[in-house]
Amino acid sequence: MTRSQPWYFLPGPAPWPVIGSTALFLMAGGAAMWFNGVSSGPWTVLAGVLIMVYMMVRWFGQVIDESEGGLYSRRVDLSFRWGMSWFIFSEVMFFAAFFGALFYARVLAVPDLGDLEQKLLWPDFSASWPTAGPIAADPFTPMAAWGIPALNTLLLLSSGVTLTIAHWGLLQDRRGALNLWLLLTILLGATFLGFQMYEYGHAYSELNLKLSSGIYGSTFFMLTGFHGFHVTVGCIMLTTIWIRCLSGHFKPDHHFAFEGVAWYWHFVDVVWLLLFIFVYWI
Amino acid sequence: MSASIHDTARAGHGGGEDHAHHPSGIMRWVMTTNHKDIGTMYLCFSFAMFLVGGLMAFIIRTELFQPGLQFVAPDFFNQMTTLHGLIMVFGAIMPAFVGFANWQIPMMIGAPDMAFPRMNNWSFWLLPPAALLLVISLFVPGGGPAAGWTMYVPLATQMGPGMDFSIFAVHILGMSSIMGSINIITTILNLRAPGMTMMKLPMFCWTWLITAYLLLAVMPVLAGAVTMILTDRHFGTSFFNAAGGGDPVLYQHIFWFFGHPEVYIIAIPAFGVISQVIPAFSRKPLFGYTAMVYATASIAILSFIVWAHHMYTAGMPVTGQVYFMYATMLIAVPTGVKVFNWVATMWKGSLTFETPMLFAVGFLFMFTMGGFSGLVLSMAAVDVQVHDTYYVVAHFHYVMVAGALFSAFAGVYFWLPKWTGRMYDETLGKWHFWLSMVFFNMTFFVQHFLGLAGMPRRVPDYALQFADFNMISSIGSMGFGVSQVLLPYIVYKAVRHGAKAPQRPWDGADTLEWTHLPAPAPYHSFETPPVVK
C-alpha cells in the first residue's frame, strides 16, 4: 500500500507543450507536403524540427533546474519511475508491430505466395526466405550476420556493461569513474551507429539490398532503421546526462535521469539482440 | 520563470493563500497545468468534434434519405464515412473520457493533481493540431481519406495526399493517448491518498487504469501500421504488396490488433461512469465490486486475442475461425458479470431517475442490445452473411452511441453540480434523454433489418427495397442530431442561472469528491491528502 507524502511538486503554467504541438504540426504537415512534392515541405519540416529542439532544450532544462533545486520529492521520483517504465513498454509495442510484420511475412505471407494456387500466377517463384517477392525487380544479396552485425552486437552488449560500471561509480560517489565509463558508453554507441551507416552504404552499393527490395528489404531497413533511430536518441540522452555528470549533477541517492536513460539504453540493447537473431541470423 | 515555480511549489505545499493563481484570458488555457482546466478543455474539444462528426453523419444520412445519388459524389460520401469514423472515435469519444479522467481521478483518489501536469497539458494540446490535419486533408488534391476509418490497404496505399495528412494525424493522436495513459497510470498507482488501497479505488478509476494499459499496448501498434502504409506509399517498401512478398491482409491483422482493444478503450471508461452513477441513484453500494474489477480486467485481456473476428471474410483457415469465434464469445462472460452486477445494484435499491440515472439505465438496455448483436456477429457462419452490411453499422452504433456516448452524457449530468457548483435543469435534462433515446433507436434499430436484408455499408446509393428503412433511419438521425443542441444549452443555463448545488446532491454518491470537496470543487483540491478509512 502506498503512503502519500503531504508534498508533491506541481509545476506552474508552462508554454512548452503548446510550442511542441506547433512544432509537431509543422513537422507532420510539412512531411505530408514534402512526400507529395510540394517544394515548401522540407522547409516546413525544418522549421518544425528547430522549434521542437528549442522546446525540448527549454523544457528539459527547466526540469533539470527543478530537480537540482530540490523540488522533486521521493514521490515525484517514483512518478518518474512509473512514467519511464510505461513509456518503454509502449516503445516495446511499437517494435512488436514491426516484428509481427516480419514473423507474419516469414511464416504466413511468403509461404502462401509459393503454394499451389499461386503457381499459375508466378510459376518461377520459390517461397524461401530471404525474398523480394514474386515480382522482384533486382536480385540482391541478404545481409550476413557474422560480419559487422556480430561486431555491433558485441559493441552494444559492452556498452551495457560500461553503463552499469558508470552507475556503480555514481552510487559509490566515484565521479571520475562515472564520467569516464559514461563517456566510453557514448563512444561505443556512436561506433555502433558508424558501423550501421557503413553497413547501409555497403547494402546499397554492393549488395543491391534496398528499402525497395521487397519484403526482405522492407523489414530489414525498417526494423534496423527504427532501432538505429532509437540508438541515436539514446546517444543524445547519454550525452545529456554525461554533461550533467560533468557539471556535478546527480547524487548517489537522487539520480533518476541517469537511471531512466540507462533503462532506455538497455531496452535498445535488448531490441538489438532480437534484431540480430531474427533479422540477421536465422 | 523560477519565481513562478516557487510560488506554485509553495501553493502545492498546502498554503492555500494562492488558490487560483494562473494567467488570465486565453493564456490560462494554453499554459495550464491544472487537471480541472485540462479536463474542461478535453470535454469542450470533444463536444466540438462531436458536432463536426455529427455534421458528417448528417451529410451521410441526407444522401441516404432516398435511393439514387442526390447531394454528394460517391467519392465525397466515402470521405465523409471515413472522417466521421475517425473524428468520432479519436476526436469525440476518446477525448470525452480522458476529460472525465482528468477531472475525476485526482478528486476521487485524493490527489493534488495529475502526476505529470505539464505532460497532461501536452496530451490535450496535441489534439487540435491532429484534428486540424484531418480537416486539412479534405482540402488537398484528391480530397480527404476515403478508405474507411480502418484505412485498409490497398485503398489506403493508392489514395491521394489526404491519406498522408490522416496518417500523421493518427501519429499525433497516438502520442497524445500514450502520454495521457502514462499520466493516468502513474497518478492512480502513485498519488492515492493514505488509506486508499487498490481495492477501495472507485470503479471509475479502476476502469481507467485498465483502459490506460490497453492504450499503451495498442496505440504504438497502430502507429506502426500507419507508418507501414506511409512507407509503402512513398518509399517503395512492400509490407502490404503481394508482388514484393508482402500481404494486404497483414495490415488487417495489425490494424485489428489495435482496433479490437480500441473498442474496449472506448467502452471500459463508459462502464466506469455507469458504475458510479447506478449506485448513486440506487442508494446502494456497487454490487460485486471485486467481481467488477476482475471482470473489467478479463475483458481487457481477452480483447488482445480476438482481433481476427473482424476478418472472417478476409480468408482464414477454419481452425482460425473457430478459435476466434470461441474466444470472442468468451468475452460475453465478464461482460455479463458486469451487466448483472449493475442490475443487482439496482435490485431493492431506493431508485430515483434523475437525468444521469436515465442515461445510465438507457445505457444498460442499449449497450446490452449492442452486446447481443456483437455475439451474433461473433459467429463466423453468420458473420459471413452480414459482414460489411448495415447490421454491423447498427451493432457498433449501439455500443458507441447508446453505450459510450450515453454514458458520457450520464457523467456530464452526474458531475456537473460538482464541476460548476450549479444544478442543471432537470426537465430539460429528461427531454434530452428521451429525445436521444427515441431518435437513437429510430436511427439505428432499423439498420439491423437493412443489414439482414443485405444492404452493404459505405455505399451512397442502394437498391429500392431498402428505401423505407433508410428514410426512417435518416429522419431519426436528424432528430438525434437536433436533440443534441440541448446539451450545450442545458450546461450554459446551469452555469448562468442554475440553482446553487449542495456539496452532495446525489444521496448515494460516496466517493471523495462528494464527501470531502465543496461544490464547485476548488481550483486546487486535496493539496493535503485526505485520510481514507
Side-chain angles (χ1 to χ4, degrees):
Chain A
M1 199 205 81
T2 24
R3 234 196 65 77
S4 184
Q5 291 178 344
W7 194 83
Y8 189 86
F9 173 69
L10 295 177
W16 315 123
V18 78
I19 294 175
S21 292
T22 313
L24 273 175
F25 178 71
L26 293 175
M27 287 158 76
M33 296 191 311
W34 189 356
F35 297 164
N36 290 288
V38 180
S39 56
S40 57
W43 299 107
T44 316
V45 173
L46 182 67
V49 171
L50 291 177
I51 296 174
M52 181 60 98
V53 169
Y54 168 77
M55 181 281 272
M56 290 175 85
V57 169
R58 295 296 306 272
W59 189 344
F60 285 116
Q62 189 178 343
V63 170
I64 291 169
D65 286 347
E66 287 166 6
S67 174
E68 290 300 307
L71 294 176
Y72 293 168
S73 61
R74 289 222 163 275
R75 188 151 296 274
V76 177
D77 194 67
L78 195 53
S79 282
F80 285 139
R81 279 161 204 280
W82 282 118
M84 191 68 192
S85 318
W86 293 113
F87 168 67
I88 290 175
F89 172 71
S90 77
E91 291 269 48
V92 169
M93 292 310 293
F94 181 76
F95 276 99
F98 286 89
F99 273 108
L102 173 69
F103 296 150
Y104 184 89
R106 291 187 63 166
V107 177
L108 295 167
V110 171
D112 273 5
L113 288 171
D115 73 7
L116 216 51
E117 284 175 53
Q118 317 289 339
K119 273 286 173 250
L120 289 171
L121 213 50
W122 299 306
D124 301 329
F125 177 63
S126 77
S128 62
W129 191 263
T131 178
I135 311 186
D138 292 318
F140 66 90
T141 317
M143 186 61 70
W146 295 105
I148 288 175
L151 197 58
N152 265 347
T153 310
L154 209 61
L155 284 175
L156 270 197
L157 285 178
S158 328
S159 76
V161 175
T162 53
L163 185 57
T164 307
I165 300 176
H167 193 199
W168 287 343
L170 175 53
L171 289 175
Q172 293 157 8
D173 221 4
R174 292 185 289 116
R175 306 292 294 200
L178 162 67
N179 295 341
L180 182 68
W181 289 100
L182 196 50
L183 177 64
L184 204 57
T185 313
I186 299 168
L187 292 177
L188 286 169
T191 316
F192 171 93
L193 283 173
F195 278 149
Q196 194 77 352
M197 276 191 282
Y198 170 79
E199 184 196 72
Y200 277 14
H202 174 65
Y204 263 75
S205 57
E206 283 144 53
L207 303 180
N208 199 31
L209 170 59
K210 300 184 170 126
L211 187 57
S212 53
S213 299
I215 189 68
Y216 180 78
S218 308
T219 49
F220 174 81
F221 281 106
M222 292 301 280
L223 274 162
T224 56
F226 271 119
H227 177 263
F229 173 72
H230 280 75
V231 176
T232 311
V233 172
C235 279
I236 295 170
M237 289 159 70
L238 284 169
T239 311
T240 312
I241 57 163
W242 183 61
I243 294 168
R244 289 188 63 187
C245 287
L246 291 180
S247 334
H249 290 194
F250 303 133
K251 294 184 211 62
D253 61 342
H254 186 85
H255 55 267
F256 174 69
F258 185 99
E259 284 179 79
V261 173
W263 293 353
Y264 191 82
W265 193 252
H266 291 314
F267 149 71
V268 170
D269 209 351
V270 171
V271 172
W272 174 261
L273 287 181
L274 295 175
L275 281 179
F276 183 70
I277 295 170
F278 293 110
V279 176
Y280 290 96
W281 189 5
I282 58 172
Chain B
M1 186 44 72
S2 69
S4 84
I5 292 165
H6 249 81
D7 282 347
T8 348
R10 255 188 272 115
H13 198 41
E17 72 281 352
D18 209 359
H19 250 288
H21 175 71
H22 51 67
S24 56
I26 179 96
M27 289 322 275
R28 166 184 173 183
W29 301 98
V30 170
M31 310 218 310
T32 183
T33 46
N34 180 282
H35 72 103
K36 298 186 181 79
D37 282 354
I38 295 170
T40 305
M41 288 196 294
Y42 262 111
L43 289 166
C44 293
F45 175 83
S46 149
F47 192 77
M49 285 296 111
F50 175 59
L51 293 184
V52 174
L55 195 67
M56 292 169 174
F58 175 79
I59 293 169
I60 294 167
R61 283 316 319 172
T62 309
E63 178 56 49
L64 292 175
F65 186 76
Q66 279 185 339
L69 290 175
Q70 275 82 228
F71 299 101
V72 295
D75 189 48
F76 186 70
F77 183 90
N78 288 340
Q79 295 174 26
M80 287 296 103
T81 52
T82 303
L83 284 173
H84 167 75
L86 284 172
I87 285 178
M88 284 303 199
V89 169
F90 292 106
I93 300 280
M94 284 168 69
F97 286 107
V98 184
F100 284 113
N102 261 296
W103 258 101
Q104 290 308 126
I105 289 175
M107 295 204 291
M108 287 175 132
I109 65 173
D113 203 299
M114 297 294 277
F116 305 108
R118 280 180 293 228
M119 193 169 79
N120 198 19
N121 172 302
W122 205 15
S123 301
F124 170 76
W125 278 106
L126 283 173
L127 297 180
L132 202 57
L133 285 170
L134 279 179
V135 174
I136 287 175
S137 77
L138 276 172
F139 300 98
V140 300
W149 83 279
T150 52
M151 299 188 281
Y152 272 10
V153 293
L155 281 175
T157 42
Q158 291 163 352
M159 245 152 227
M163 184 53 74
D164 298 318
F165 282 91
S166 310
I167 287 171
F168 286 122
V170 168
H171 279 130
I172 295 178
L173 290 165
M175 291 171 64
S176 161
S177 292
I178 289 168
M179 286 193 267
S181 306
I182 290 175
N183 226 331
I184 287 168
I185 291 175
T186 308
T187 307
I188 295 177
L189 293 182
N190 198 29
L191 293 190
R192 278 170 290 126
M196 177 65 82
T197 58
M198 287 306 275
M199 290 319 271
K200 277 188 197 161
L201 271 185
M203 199 58 210
F204 178 72
C205 301
W206 257 116
T207 55
W208 245 115
L209 182 64
I210 291 163
T211 304
Y213 279 113
L214 286 180
L215 277 167
L216 273 188
V218 301
M219 290 311 286
V221 175
L222 176 67
V226 296
T227 305
M228 290 179 217
I229 296 183
L230 191 74
T231 57
D232 268 17
R233 284 167 59 82
H234 295 292
F235 302 107
T237 58
S238 303
F239 287 108
F240 309 132
N241 179 3
D247 188 350
V249 178
L250 168 61
Y251 175 78
Q252 299 188 20
H253 280 292
I254 306 179
F255 179 85
W256 285 114
F257 183 80
F258 148 81
H260 197 77
E262 169 68 18
V263 176
Y264 295 106
I265 286 164
I266 287 169
I268 288 178
F271 295 167
V273 173
I274 297 303
S275 301
Q276 300 302 135
V277 171
I278 287 185
F281 295 91
S282 308
R283 289 152 183 87
K284 275 176 64 189
L286 184 66
F287 183 89
Y289 170 88
T290 313
M292 289 296 247
V293 171
Y294 285 111
T296 313
S298 309
I299 292 172
I301 291 164
L302 286 173
S303 75
F304 285 113
I305 54 167
V306 297
W307 75 90
H309 66 215
H310 297 268
M311 306 162 48
Y312 285 140
T313 57
M316 191 192 306
V318 174
T319 37
Q321 293 193 339
V322 169
Y323 161 72
F324 281 108
M325 187 162 99
Y326 283 130
T328 305
M329 289 179 184
L330 212 54
I331 297 184
V333 177
T335 313
V337 169
K338 298 195 74 92
V339 171
F340 281 117
N341 278 351
W342 286 320
V343 175
T345 306
M346 293 166 68
W347 176 253
K348 289 194 175 172
S350 51
L351 300 169
T352 50
F353 291 91
E354 286 89 346
T355 311
M357 184 62 163
L358 284 177
F359 272 111
V361 175
F363 165 95
L364 211 50
F365 276 98
M366 297 293 100
F367 183 82
T368 307
M369 278 278 303
F372 280 142
S373 57
L375 266 183
V376 172
L377 288 168
S378 77
M379 281 177 275
V382 178
D383 182 80
V384 169
Q385 307 298 314
V386 290
H387 190 88
D388 263 351
T389 68
Y390 263 83
Y391 192 86
V392 178
V393 177
H395 156 70
F396 68 71
H397 281 93
Y398 266 76
V399 183
M400 300 269 169
V401 181
L405 186 66
F406 274 24
S407 130
F409 287 156
V412 169
Y413 287 110
F414 184 57
W415 280 306
L416 199 65
K418 183 54 63 183
W419 296 344
T420 63
R422 306 278 174 171
M423 295 303 288
Y424 61 88
D425 185 326
E426 194 61 60
T427 317
L428 281 179
K430 284 183 171 144
W431 270 102
H432 182 210
F433 169 72
W434 284 111
L435 288 172
S436 299
M437 186 73 171
V438 168
F439 282 125
F440 168 80
N441 279 296
M442 188 170 164
T443 311
F444 292 107
F445 195 75
V446 291
Q447 293 185 357
H448 289 113
F449 305 136
L450 282 172
L452 289 170
M455 178 170 163
R457 64 192 284 210
R458 292 172 178 152
V459 286
D461 189 8
Y462 48 83
L464 286 179
Q465 67 266 30
F466 303 129
D468 292 349
F469 282 142
N470 267 298
M471 193 175 283
I472 294 171
S473 179
S474 285
I475 295 169
S477 74
M478 313 288 154
F480 187 81
V482 172
S483 316
Q484 302 320 310
V485 178
L486 273 172
L487 181 66
Y489 175 69
I490 292 169
V491 172
Y492 171 81
K493 197 176 164 209
V495 173
R496 280 291 143 128
H497 314 291
K500 267 194 82 59
Q503 174 173 340
R504 189 174 161 184
W506 321 119
D507 297 340
D510 59 356
T511 40
L512 290 181
E513 81 274 28
W514 305 112
T515 54
H516 282 61
L517 293 176
Y523 194 66
H524 294 292
S525 42
F526 294 131
E527 284 159 354
T528 334
V531 177
V532 181
K533 294 197 186 76

